[in-house]
Amino acid sequence: MIKENLNRVISGVLAVAVIVLFVLHFTGENKEVAVDQSNQPGVLAGNMNQMKVAYVFVDSVLGNYEYYKVLTDRLLAKKSNLENELAGKGESFQKEVTDFQYKVERKLITSWDAEARQKQLTEQQQVLVNLQNDMQNRLAREEQDVTLQLHDSVLNAVSELNKKFGYNLILSNTFGGGLLYADEYMNITRQVLDRLNESYRKTLAK
């Protein structure tokens, strides 16, 4: 569930953020891009002043980016550990409650002690509720960190590709997204993914 939620959040963020209008060569003046347009993925045919458009399938990037799997696996492992910790504390608390009820029903505890014990159990219950909320907040913050990290990684990869190919507009798309049709030669998903995985593998080699 956490991975599915994270996929939806990240896809949504990247679908907006990776719609990048590159005006690096056209800001304030009509500059020509001194690159060979032949065999360039995603480049529109035509003269040099024609807009060059490409698109990226974000779902494919997330599904095949090696570092993304590492990050989500870490989150899933942390979620599992936190859930186990909370479950253990919850079981311990439930045993204390059951023991308290047993003593009260059989009058094995004075009314004064019963009242004090009930107050203590109520406080323990609140501690568990606070712990659960804290764990959920921690996971939410870490999911957000992963989203931002992937967002930056994808934008960096796209920017690096654009230095070579000089696109004016790079669109992102997800399954069922707003991009209804585009020629396959505009698809630079593989190039973006290769750039991401190449950069990640370099960090492993250090």
Side-chain angles (χ1 to χ4, degrees), residues 81-98:
N81 290 337
L82 291 175
E83 287 179 341
N84 290 337
E85 178 185 347
L86 186 62
K89 292 179 182 295
E91 290 176 4
S92 178
F93 173 72
Q94 186 58 49
K95 289 179 180 179
E96 292 187 52
V97 171
T98 301

Side-chain angles (χ1 to χ4, degrees), residues 1-174:
M1 180 62 69
I2 186 174
K3 189 167 185 177
E4 294 176 358
N5 291 337
L6 186 60
N7 280 342
R8 285 195 294 268
V9 172
I10 293 174
S11 294
V13 171
L14 294 181
V16 174
V18 185
I19 299 177
V20 182
L21 179 60
F22 285 98
V23 291
L24 299 178
H25 301 285
F26 297 87
T27 303
E29 52 185 306
N30 188 20
K31 297 181 180 178
E32 292 187 350
V33 182
V35 292
D36 182 6
Q37 287 189 329
S38 62
N39 298 322
Q40 287 187 28
V43 177
L44 288 173
N47 60 53
M48 295 296 287
N49 290 325
Q50 193 171 16
M51 178 175 282
K52 287 171 288 188
V53 181
Y55 64 90
V56 178
F57 280 111
V58 175
D59 293 341
S60 295
V61 170
L62 295 182
N64 296 281
Y65 182 23
E66 295 167 8
Y67 189 43
Y68 173 69
K69 184 178 186 304
V70 172
L71 292 175
T72 53
D73 285 348
R74 286 177 186 171
L75 275 179
L76 290 170
K78 182 162 291 188
K79 178 177 182 289
S80 178
N81 290 337
L82 291 175
E83 287 179 341
N84 290 337
E85 178 185 347
L86 186 62
K89 292 179 182 295
E91 290 176 4
S92 178
F93 173 72
Q94 186 58 49
K95 289 179 180 179
E96 292 187 52
V97 171
T98 301
D99 180 67
F100 170 68
Q101 292 174 334
Y102 176 85
K103 291 179 179 179
V104 169
E105 291 171 358
R106 288 161 178 73
K107 301 185 186 305
L108 300 175
I109 188 173
T110 66
S111 58
W112 185 89
D113 288 337
E115 184 178 349
R117 181 57 175 156
Q118 185 174 16
K119 181 180 179 181
Q120 185 182 42
L121 289 172
T122 300
E123 292 174 349
Q124 287 180 238
Q125 183 181 36
Q126 187 59 48
V127 168
L128 284 176
V129 171
N130 292 340
L131 178 61
Q132 182 180 32
N133 292 335
D134 179 64
M135 288 180 175
Q136 290 174 343
N137 291 335
R138 284 164 57 189
L139 285 173
R141 286 195 299 269
E142 295 197 25
E143 286 182 21
Q144 184 179 35
D145 289 342
V146 168
T147 300
L148 293 175
Q149 188 172 354
L150 290 171
H151 163 269
D152 290 343
S153 296
V154 172
L155 285 186
N156 286 337
V158 169
S159 297
E160 287 299 315
L161 281 174
N162 192 63
K163 289 178 182 178
K164 180 178 180 181
F165 297 124
Y167 299 113
N168 303 108
L169 182 67
I170 298 181
L171 304 170
S172 69
N173 193 37
T174 58

